[in-house]
Amino acid sequence: MAMTGPILLPALQGQFGDWVYYSAIMPLSEVNDRIGFARELHRNERLGELIQRQLQDSGSGKRNRANAIAQYLRANEGRFFNAIVVGIYGGEPVWHPFDIDISARPEFDRANIDHLVEQERVGFLELKGTERLFALDGQHRVAGIKKALANGGTEGGDILTVLFVPHSNTEAGIQRTRRLFVDLNKRAVPVGTKDIIILDEVDLPAILARRLVDEHDWFSRGQVDIERFTATIPRNSTALFSIATLHNVIKRVLPNALASNPEERHEIKGASAIRLPEDRIDYYYDRASMYFSGLADANPRKRYCSNCT
């Protein structure tokens, strides 16, 4: 990392277990300049480089997570990241607590505020610029930020929450921080298919599946089990299939049956990372409706709704 100058970051001091940490806010431009990766957790250089290679080799092209995150940052005005966890060693980070004067706000619990002031929990974290900062959790987000800003991105002024954890550069300190690194990453749970289907406002198959269930006569009157996210449904169910099956069908037919040219296939490939404009979503919704109508015309006895036209 290049040498950087001193910086003051608004922060809260917290404690969890035997870890004291600082919850600060930091511009992405400073994240780019100051924060590296966790290769420092190994004294053996070759073992340390394994972390960096894992980060670089986690996919190629559009599947590379850092590239996908950079694309997400550049293309989405509604972008948002949760906090990253960053280890600090070396240098002289300094905590500057300050008093809180809220005497003019009697509605607040004075005892609670006094406790916070006494504990010196609110203030500034001063980084001298000589520290070594490395991502313990959020490595791919940091890599994506670096790629986005290296390619001329204008997102450097975005403000990100960073949880700073002081790290001791001793054998015992390295072991302790390594355990924290594993704990944070082992317990990270990827977003499941269920959450994507019911919540994702970027993923095109999820958007189309929800809209069909909400609006289309063939899917909105109990034909789809919206509470089951498996490929099978109970024998006594009045539904024909689950919403997970509908989502999977749309996902499979989108790049082929619903795309009419190479440009649309390219557009669909990116539609899992970047929300398409509303007119393009409408277009693919109409294409999906036509596709299912074509299936029904090909086998009229298996129409989802015999009274629908």
Side-chain angles (χ1 to χ4, degrees), residues 10-15 20-25 84 86 88 93-96 120-121 124-125 161-166:
L12 302 173
Q13 184 192 70
Q15 182 164 349
V20 174
Y21 67 92
Y22 302 92
S23 177
I25 54 175
I84 63 174
V86 171
I88 309 175
V94 181
W95 174 241
H96 298 282
E120 299 184 330
R121 298 299 192 191
F124 290 93
L125 182 65
T161 298
V162 180
L163 303 181
F164 288 100
V165 181

Side-chain angles (χ1 to χ4, degrees), residues 141-204:
R141 276 167 283 159
V142 171
I145 290 167
K146 292 179 181 294
K147 282 182 178 289
L149 298 188
N151 293 331
T154 59
E155 301 78 23
D158 285 3
I159 306 295
L160 179 66
T161 298
V162 180
L163 303 181
F164 288 100
V165 181
H167 161 81
S168 175
N169 193 25
T170 64
E171 190 61 39
I174 289 174
Q175 290 179 6
R176 184 168 184 258
T177 306
R178 264 203 312 258
R179 286 196 299 271
L180 178 61
F181 176 84
V182 172
D183 285 346
L184 290 168
N185 287 277
K186 182 190 293 183
R187 286 159 178 73
V189 179
V191 177
T193 301
K194 174 181 177 180
D195 293 325
I196 290 174
I197 293 172
I198 64 177
L199 295 172
D200 201 318
E201 290 294 345
V202 173
D203 183 76
L204 183 58

Side-chain angles (χ1 to χ4, degrees), residues 197 203-213 216 219 224 241-259 268 281 284-285 287-289 291-292 295 304:
I197 293 172
D203 183 76
L204 183 58
I207 294 171
L208 296 181
R210 288 197 304 269
R211 187 167 170 183
L212 286 168
V213 169
H216 201 291
F219 303 98
V224 180
F241 44 77
S242 70
I243 191 171
T245 297
L246 178 61
H247 175 264
N248 287 336
V249 169
I250 295 171
K251 191 173 182 178
R252 287 179 179 274
V253 302
L254 258 177
N256 299 308
L258 304 190
I268 288 171
I281 294 175
Y284 288 112
Y285 175 78
R287 296 279 297 175
S289 300
Y291 173 80
F292 288 113
L295 287 182
Y304 301 124

